[in-house]
Amino acid sequence: MLVGAEHELPYHRPQLFPQVLGKGKINADKLHVHDAEWFKKKHIDLRLGTIVTQFNLERKVAVLANGQAVEFKKACLATGCRARRPQTAGSNVGNVFYLRSLRDVLGLQEILETEKEIVIIGGGRVACEVAAVLSQRPKINVTLMHRGKGLLARYLDEESSVWLAEYYAKNDVKTLLNETLNGFEGRTVIRNVQTKSGQRVAAQAAIVAIGADMNNGLFLNTPLNYPAGTPVNDYLETEEKGVYAVGDIALFPDRIFGGQRRVEQWHCAIAQGHVAGANMTGRKRIKWEYTPHFATSVFDLDFDFVGDFSKPATRVEVTGDRDKKKFIVRHFHLAALTGVSLCNQSADKVEAAKTEIREWPREIKRYD
Ligand SMILES: Cc1cc2nc3c(=O)[nH]c(=O)nc-3n(C[C@H](O)[C@H](O)[C@H](O)COP(=O)(O)OP(=O)(O)OC[C@H]3O[C@@H](n4cnc5c(N)ncnc54)[C@H](O)[C@@H]3O)c2cc1C
């Protein structure tokens, strides 16, 4: 049984912006991971538009919103995240958008027919992607407001991140950098975005992309809930036997960098689904092993980020040529290579970066 709160068939979340907002046309079918027939053939009892309201670990029962109690022998938690809301005035006013689901994106798509002045708040992956997509639509004016001086700053060196912000400005995105959000003005719908420095930016809609919070309400007061995520072992099983966790909420042992890691990445979530599914049903247990990697595309720039970007680099090495839009940034923490950011590089180079990250002799370098 697959239970999900959304009404749509499971879909490719990273494709929401290009497929729904991109051309101004909606092609929801293209988003589906599988069609309805596939689920039938696999004998999957699909319960869409259904919220799980209680999850009783002791009795091994999940209660659905319609009151039905479902007993289980094994369960997998994949509740994901929701877009973070800022603690500022006006954050619930009309036309302030938080984009996570197809429904959220369709809501934005609808108002774009009439509203043309859009302010986006954030400087990470989601903010950059939506700004690039919207700026390529006719008659829409996009302002990207970010508290830093560059974009994707976590994954790039300072110069490349400033270069990227300039690239947005060249591509018709008005950038408002070194500015922090103070709040939204407007009685029923937004009129202005206020910055902490006292600027007021006229807006008919705002998109807030400042990170995500885990959907952990279902198991808040259980051993499955830790501030850093839901801890799992090498087989993606939680400390409750028979209960697994995958995707954005799973906090798994990191065999490359040590400690535990939680990632909000599409391919990781998919691959974990395969491993947890096999471990829940198969005879042979599969170990979860993962080299962190995600890709994002903005304008004509295809980025790949491989490794751990959670700590700021103490040194970076940049090779290639930014003006030719082809470069690689290698991040080091002390002597250890921790991350490789690639701009417009071949699949071979991305694979080579993964191998380099995996095989870097961390134990030895730690004592350098
Ligand atoms: C706009 C956008 C663009 C992205 N682009 C990229 C990208 O380019 N590359 C990349 O690697 N990653 C990207 N991501 C991140 C990626 O989509 C996530 O990492 C991935 O979807 C996580 O999968 P998940 O199954 O853990 O959670 P989700 O995909 O969030 O799915 C969780 C589901 O559980 C449902 N749910 C939660 N609680 C309950 C409950 N109590 N009862 C029933 N259902 C419930 C939710 O409604 C949701 O449908 C993007 C994310 C967004 C929002």
Side-chain angles (χ1 to χ4, degrees):
M1 179 183 286
L2 177 58
V3 189
E6 292 184 70
H7 291 267
E8 195 66 34
L9 281 169
Y11 57 87
H12 289 268
R13 216 171 281 286
Q15 286 300 313
L16 280 177
F17 296 158
Q19 293 296 338
V20 181
L21 296 178
K23 294 144 202 145
K25 271 196 265 158
I26 300 150
N27 193 348
D29 286 359
K30 271 201 168 177
L31 289 173
H32 293 153
V33 177
H34 300 291
D35 59 18
E37 201 50 35
W38 184 90
F39 289 96
K40 245 191 227 157
K41 273 194 195 144
K42 300 278 175 191
H43 310 291
I44 295 170
D45 178 358
L46 195 54
R47 306 287 183 99
L48 299 177
T50 307
I51 297 173
V52 179
T53 55
Q54 289 173 47
F55 189 69
N56 189 317
L57 287 167
E58 241 165 60
R59 290 171 45 221
K60 295 215 159 160
V61 169
V63 180
L64 311 187
N66 63 5
Q68 187 188 350
V70 180
E71 282 182 33
F72 61 84
K73 282 198 178 122
K74 288 183 183 168
C76 183
L77 294 165
T79 50
C81 283
R82 59 188 180 279
R84 183 167 299 150
R85 287 177 180 248
Q87 305 290 315
T88 53
S91 58
N92 289 323
V93 88
N95 286 0
V96 176
F97 288 88
Y98 303 91
L99 304 177
R100 180 75 196 183
S101 64
L102 176 62
R103 187 179 275 196
D104 300 333
V105 178
L106 288 176
L108 173 64
Q109 163 78 351
E110 202 179 305
I111 68 108
L112 290 177
E113 299 298 318
T114 50
E115 314 299 7
K116 305 295 176 196
E117 297 295 329
I118 316 293
V119 177
I120 298 165
I121 295 120
R125 178 180 68 200
V126 171
C128 285
E129 280 180 12
V130 75
V133 166
L134 291 185
S135 69
Q136 290 170 72
R137 283 180 59 152
K139 294 187 197 149
I140 290 188
N141 300 319
V142 179
T143 302
L144 180 57
M145 179 186 144
H146 178 47
R147 63 183 174 189
K149 61 178 172 186
L151 301 175
L152 295 179
R154 198 171 174 191
Y155 310 104
L156 296 171
D157 60 300
E158 198 175 303
E159 267 180 48
S160 304
S161 131
V162 170
W163 168 85
L164 184 62
E166 288 165 3
Y167 198 72
Y168 270 73
K170 276 186 207 151
N171 282 278
D172 295 331
V173 175
K174 196 170 157 202
T175 52
L176 204 60
L177 302 168
N178 297 310
E179 285 288 5
T180 311
L181 175 70
N182 195 47
F184 303 98
E185 290 176 350
R187 232 183 242 163
T188 48
V189 286
I190 183 176
R191 281 175 174 271
N192 293 302
V193 176
Q194 257 182 15
T195 73
K196 285 239 158 86
S197 72
Q199 285 204 60
R200 292 166 88 205
V201 187
Q204 293 172 321
I207 299 164
V208 186
I210 55 168
D213 293 318
M214 288 177 284
N215 291 325
N216 50 7
L218 200 54
F219 42 92
L220 257 191
N221 299 315
T222 74
L224 306 189
N225 182 42
Y226 278 79
T230 299
V232 291
N233 62 18
D234 278 327
Y235 301 93
L236 304 179
E237 191 171 16
T238 68
E239 67 177 61
E240 289 290 329
K241 215 172 160 8
V243 178
Y244 291 69
V246 297
D248 284 7
I249 61 165
L251 183 68
F252 57 86
D254 184 338
R255 299 296 171 207
I256 297 179
F257 295 97
Q260 288 166 304
R261 177 170 304 275
R262 183 178 76 80
V263 296
E264 293 171 16
Q265 291 160 12
W266 175 258
H267 290 292
C268 173
I270 296 285
Q272 285 187 337
H274 286 155
V275 170
N279 288 343
M280 289 166 80
T281 54
R283 289 203 183 134
K284 212 172 135 210
R285 305 257 284 168
I286 304 174
K287 231 180 177 176
W288 169 247
E289 280 168 23
Y290 180 65
T291 311
H293 167 227
F294 76 92
T296 183
S297 295
V298 290
F299 302 111
D300 55 351
L301 308 174
D302 292 331
F303 285 106
D304 285 274
F305 301 108
V306 178
D308 175 17
F309 297 90
S310 58
K311 283 190 222 131
T314 51
R315 180 170 70 84
V316 288
E317 259 175 32
V318 185
T319 51
D321 191 343
R322 272 186 221 107
D323 292 334
K324 290 192 177 139
K325 303 179 215 171
K326 252 178 136 80
F327 58 91
I328 297 178
V329 185
R330 299 168 91 243
H331 300 243
F332 293 85
H333 191 80
L334 304 177
L337 178 72
T338 49
V340 185
S341 305
L342 305 98
C343 178
N344 285 338
Q345 302 291 327
S346 64
D348 285 355
K349 289 251 169 74
V350 177
E351 284 313 308
K354 284 190 194 168
T355 308
E356 198 182 3
I357 286 285
R358 257 194 319 267
E359 293 181 355
W360 187 269
R362 276 162 226 293
E363 293 309 314
I364 299 161
K365 293 283 172 189
R366 210 166 281 166
Y367 300 103
D368 274 358

